[in-house]
Amino acid sequence: MRSRFFRIVFVLTILSTALWAADDGAALYKKKCAHCHGASGEGKPAMKAPALKGTALDAGAVADQITKGKAGSKAPHTKGISGVTDDQAKAIAAYVKGL
Ligand code: HEC
């Protein structure tokens, strides 16, 4: 009886952590990326920001684009976006891959 209780608590803890991480990526995307790449990742031609929905880049490449930028790309991706940690970049990348 007692061990079952702890098993349930354990599963709920894992679940809520996973859900929180997903939420975090979505919230960060809205705050840091949506004004250029669109609320649903559809891109904004007027800003020359490509669609991220269905991107061919893998999650690691998207995270690198956020933290390190890419040589020869335009602002804000010349050096990476300031104020985004590696963990946040991973959460955003996971969110972008799920768009
Ligand atoms: C100020 C506008 C702006 C913001 C904010 C911005 N981007 Fe971008 N992004 C661009 C532009 C413009 C390009 C394409 C130009 C280039 O690569 O030089 C681009 C390119 C990219 C690419 C490469 C796409 C490809 O197919 O090569 C990725 C990935 C990306 N952005 C992700 C993000 C993420 C994630 C965020 C939020 C953390 C973000 N961007 C915030 C304007 C922006």
Side-chain angles (χ1 to χ4, degrees):
M1 203 54 188
R2 202 152 185 234
S3 73
R4 185 196 269 175
F5 171 78
F6 281 114
R7 221 178 306 155
I8 289 170
V9 169
F10 179 73
V11 167
L12 286 178
T13 307
I14 300 274
L15 272 180
S16 59
T17 308
L19 290 175
W20 182 81
D23 272 346
D24 197 35
L28 286 163
Y29 177 86
K30 275 205 188 80
K31 212 163 109 190
K32 302 268 185 190
C33 324
H35 53 288
C36 290
H37 289 285
S40 326
E42 71 276 21
K44 285 197 183 167
M47 308 198 71
K48 300 205 168 30
L52 298 181
K53 190 185 172 108
T55 179
L57 300 172
D58 63 23
V62 174
D64 279 353
Q65 181 88 353
I66 302 168
T67 52
K68 298 181 198 140
K70 204 176 70 188
S73 67
K74 292 192 207 81
H77 296 296
T78 38
K79 285 191 287 177
I81 297 174
S82 62
V84 181
T85 66
D86 285 0
D87 280 351
Q88 289 174 330
K90 276 189 203 135
I92 297 171
Y95 174 74
V96 163
K97 290 302 288 180
L99 284 171

